[in-house]
């Protein structure tokens, strides 16, 4: 299994590269989502806890943990192969401040079904339950598997309240926010970076970010807009209104 050397500023670490998707994620780290990289470098401080919801193989979680060894990274990934690779990448870099969780973040705690488009690490566009987002991405479902569900509020009770939250769940962001009311209002939380997905002709983020606005967050910046078939997506960074 090959590994590749990564460097962002003065931070150096390694990532496992076993398929083309992993290679693309590593090679485009600083160009595809530069706002995410800069958000981590600017916002993640010693003593902070960063939640990476939808961490995949850890492309941002590993960077964050290596960049700030005095902070804690709670990396959540429900897809089994990607979760395994996330853990392997953490072990490869001896990141004792990385806390991986193999669970799907949802609106309620319990058990659910996950629609997988691939069994390979680094794959994406999976979905939960009856969501048709996978089909709208143009992907077939190769397997439906049971998965544990937890809210962000439940995660916060287990892992401690976050200072920062990154959310990238390929269409499940409304349910993630629905289960995060207490965490969003917690005074420790300073900023949220969320990727909103939408189908052409439907609501982008207007109205869907109401849980954030009610908790006192204000949109400060957006990233590039991407699309595939009828689905579009874009990152938005929120901070407290007084920040």
């Amino acid at each position: 299994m090959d590994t590749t050397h990564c460097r962002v500023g003065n931070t150096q670490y390694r990532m496992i590269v076993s398929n083309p998707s992993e290679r693309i994620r590593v090679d485009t780290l600083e160009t595809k989502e530069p706002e995410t990289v800069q958000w981590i470098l600017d916002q993640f401080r010693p003593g902070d806890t960063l939640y990476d919801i939808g961490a995949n193989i850890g492309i941002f979680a590993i960077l964050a943990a290596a960049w700030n060894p005095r902070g804690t990274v709670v990396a959540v990934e429900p897809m089994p192969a990607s979760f395994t690779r996330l853990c392997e990448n953490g072990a490869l870099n001896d990141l004792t401040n990385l806390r991986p969780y193999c669970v799907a973040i949802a609106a309620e705690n319990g058990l659910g079904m996950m629609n997988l488009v691939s069994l390979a690490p680094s794959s994406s566009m999976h979905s939960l339950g009856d969501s048709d987002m996978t089909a709208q991405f143009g992907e077939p479902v190769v397997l439906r598997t049971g998965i544990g569900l937890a809210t962000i509020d439940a995660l916060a009770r287990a892992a401690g309240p976050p200072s920062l939250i990154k959310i990238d769940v390929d269409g499940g962001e409304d349910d993630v926010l629905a289960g995060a009311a207490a965490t969003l209002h917690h005074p420790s939380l300073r900023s949220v970076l969320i990727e909103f997905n939408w189908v052409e002709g439907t609501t982008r983020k207007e109205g869907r970010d109401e849980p954030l606005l009610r908790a006192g967050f204000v949109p400060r910046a957006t990233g590039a807009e991407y699309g595939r078939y009828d689905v579009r997506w874009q990152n938005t960074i929120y901070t407290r209104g007084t920040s």
Side-chain angles (χ1 to χ4, degrees):
M1 187 176 297
D2 292 335
T3 65
T4 189
H5 180 266
C6 302
R7 179 169 183 166
V8 177
N10 294 324
T11 301
Q12 301 184 53
Y13 54 96
R14 290 181 294 161
M15 296 287 288
I16 295 169
V17 177
S18 67
N19 62 42
S21 177
E22 289 180 315
R23 169 57 63 187
I24 290 171
R25 289 187 186 276
V26 168
D27 288 348
T28 63
L29 171 63
E30 294 188 86
T31 57
K32 185 172 182 287
E33 294 186 32
E35 70 282 357
T36 303
V37 173
Q38 199 59 51
W39 178 76
I40 291 170
L41 301 184
D42 289 345
Q43 295 289 332
F44 189 33
R45 307 165 187 168
D48 281 351
T49 296
L50 185 155
Y51 283 9
D52 188 352
I53 308 300
N56 203 280
I57 62 171
I59 195 70
F60 295 113
I62 300 299
L63 164 62
W67 153 257
N68 180 10
R70 294 172 59 194
T72 300
V73 179
V74 175
V76 181
E77 175 54 47
M79 196 276 181
S82 293
F83 177 77
T84 298
R85 182 70 81 240
L86 164 69
C87 294
E88 291 171 335
N89 283 325
L92 178 66
N93 292 279
D94 297 319
L95 296 174
T96 58
N97 60 334
L98 180 71
R99 304 284 187 269
Y101 282 77
C102 189
V103 67
I105 300 299
E108 297 180 349
N109 302 310
L111 292 174
M113 297 297 298
M114 188 172 184
N115 309 303
L116 300 178
V117 306
S118 169
L119 301 184
S122 186
S123 56
S124 60
M125 302 176 185
H126 314 291
S127 59
L128 290 177
D130 296 328
S131 171
D132 60 356
M133 186 60 76
T134 297
Q136 290 168 338
F137 277 119
E139 295 285 352
V141 174
V142 301
L143 180 68
R144 283 173 51 81
T145 180
I147 188 72
L149 307 177
T151 65
I152 282 188
D153 286 346
L155 179 65
R157 290 192 291 272
S163 313
L164 307 168
I165 303 177
K166 172 186 167 292
I167 301 169
D168 181 354
V169 291
D170 291 343
E173 50 273 11
D174 295 343
D175 283 344
V176 170
L177 291 177
T183 304
L184 293 179
H185 284 85
H186 196 283
S188 69
L189 183 61
R190 298 194 311 271
S191 183
V192 176
L193 187 155
I194 181 169
E195 180 191 276
F196 281 105
N197 291 250
W198 68 94
V199 177
E200 292 283 5
T202 64
T203 301
R204 298 173 58 142
K205 66 172 179 288
E206 295 77 9
R208 299 172 61 198
D209 63 354
E210 184 60 29
L212 289 158
L213 302 181
R214 286 199 305 267
F217 288 90
V218 175
R220 301 292 187 183
T222 56
E225 183 179 312
Y226 294 97
R228 180 174 182 180
Y229 296 98
D230 293 334
V231 180
R232 310 291 296 178
W233 59 91
Q234 183 182 43
N235 282 332
T236 302
I237 295 173
Y238 293 79
T239 60
R240 294 282 184 194
T242 55
S243 300

